[in-house]
Amino acid sequence: MAASLARRVSRFFKRMGLVGYSKRRNIFGIHPLVISTTYIILALALAALTRKVVNLVLNDSLFKRMILEFIATLELCAACFELIIVADNWGIWAYAFYLFVLTIWWSSSWDTATACPYSPIEEILEGSQDVSNAALLIFSQILGALVTFRYVQILWAMELVETHRSKAFEDCMADLQVHMLVGAVVEATGTCLCRLASKFLSDTQVKFANVLDAFFATMMVVAAFNFSGGYYNPALATSLKLGCEGNTFVEHLVVYWIGATIGSVLSVLIFKSAPVREYMRSVKAKVD
């Protein structure tokens, strides 16, 4: 009876495409995408658990915010390392779907953390943060970005599935496919538009704002995917692509740090401009 049930379950999973792959290359013959999904969920679960402990143990302070930024950055980068595997093996739209769902999750679970170095800079421009505190928050984000691969490398080195073979120790390739200045413009433009969309949705408090924001950001990433990679986040780009073959340090700095930061600063200036503020007042009046 038990054996019969096991065979039925096995046939069901095979029809679903979840098992049936070579057991010599994939643990228990499991579909490699299942393992990638499991690794992503593991990163989210560990981050959520750690975040909960931090919130219970620490009172509100700059140090607590630094720890939460470190956790959020590590969570973001760990998930996105696995998204590289998804994109390489199942294409841009599988990558986009995962990114869309993850972005919604992060918007609801990170609270004040951003895992993005230009966010403290925006706070400085908006008068809600001083330079020294912003520098410490950015340091926490960079530290989280730099240590992430050591965690990911442990998982990849186990080589449970064929899509992880040699990934733990192979040289990475840069995503920048255009001239450095063009790449900087792409990252600046995408960052500016994403930040403006986020500010607009937050200010108007429209229904399902986090879903709309996630969809817009995902589409912007897809649009830039074959040009600069569409990172729109210096810490994320540093974690995934700093030192990769095909980019110099200067190119990386100009495209992913200077480009994205300029885009972020421009979004603050545009959103605070008189015409935009007047337009926002009229929109909120209609909503109310």
Side-chain angles (χ1 to χ4, degrees), residues 161-172:
V161 286
E162 56 191 328
T163 51
H164 288 155
R165 293 289 169 92
S166 304
K167 291 296 181 182
F169 304 102
E170 74 176 12
D171 294 331
C172 60

Side-chain angles (χ1 to χ4, degrees), residues 34 52 63 68 83 138 146 148 152 154 167 170 189-190 235 239 244-245 251 286:
V34 174
K52 188 171 184 177
F63 178 68
L68 292 176
L83 287 187
I138 293 171
L146 293 177
T148 301
V152 172
I154 294 171
K167 291 296 181 182
E170 74 176 12
T189 303
S239 183
C244 288
E245 196 173 317
E251 287 174 329
K286 291 178 181 178

Side-chain angles (χ1 to χ4, degrees), residues 214-248:
F215 179 79
F216 182 80
T218 300
M219 290 302 98
M220 291 302 298
V221 170
V222 170
F225 193 78
N226 292 321
F227 298 97
S228 65
Y231 288 92
Y232 311 140
N233 182 328
L236 177 62
T238 293
S239 183
L240 271 60
K241 294 300 174 179
L242 180 63
C244 288
E245 196 173 317
N247 266 172
T248 65

Side-chain angles (χ1 to χ4, degrees), residues 104-132:
I104 294 173
W105 167 260
W106 290 325
S107 69
S108 63
S109 64
W110 281 358
D111 195 17
T112 59
T114 64
C116 191
Y118 53 65
S119 293
I121 295 174
E122 288 187 15
E123 292 176 359
I124 293 173
L125 295 175
E126 292 166 349
S128 60
Q129 188 65 270
D130 62 52
V131 175
S132 60

Side-chain angles (χ1 to χ4, degrees), residues 202-221:
S202 176
D203 215 35
T204 54
Q205 297 182 333
V206 298
K207 290 183 179 179
F208 309 112
N210 61 333
V211 176
L212 294 172
D213 193 21
F215 179 79
F216 182 80
T218 300
M219 290 302 98
M220 291 302 298
V221 170

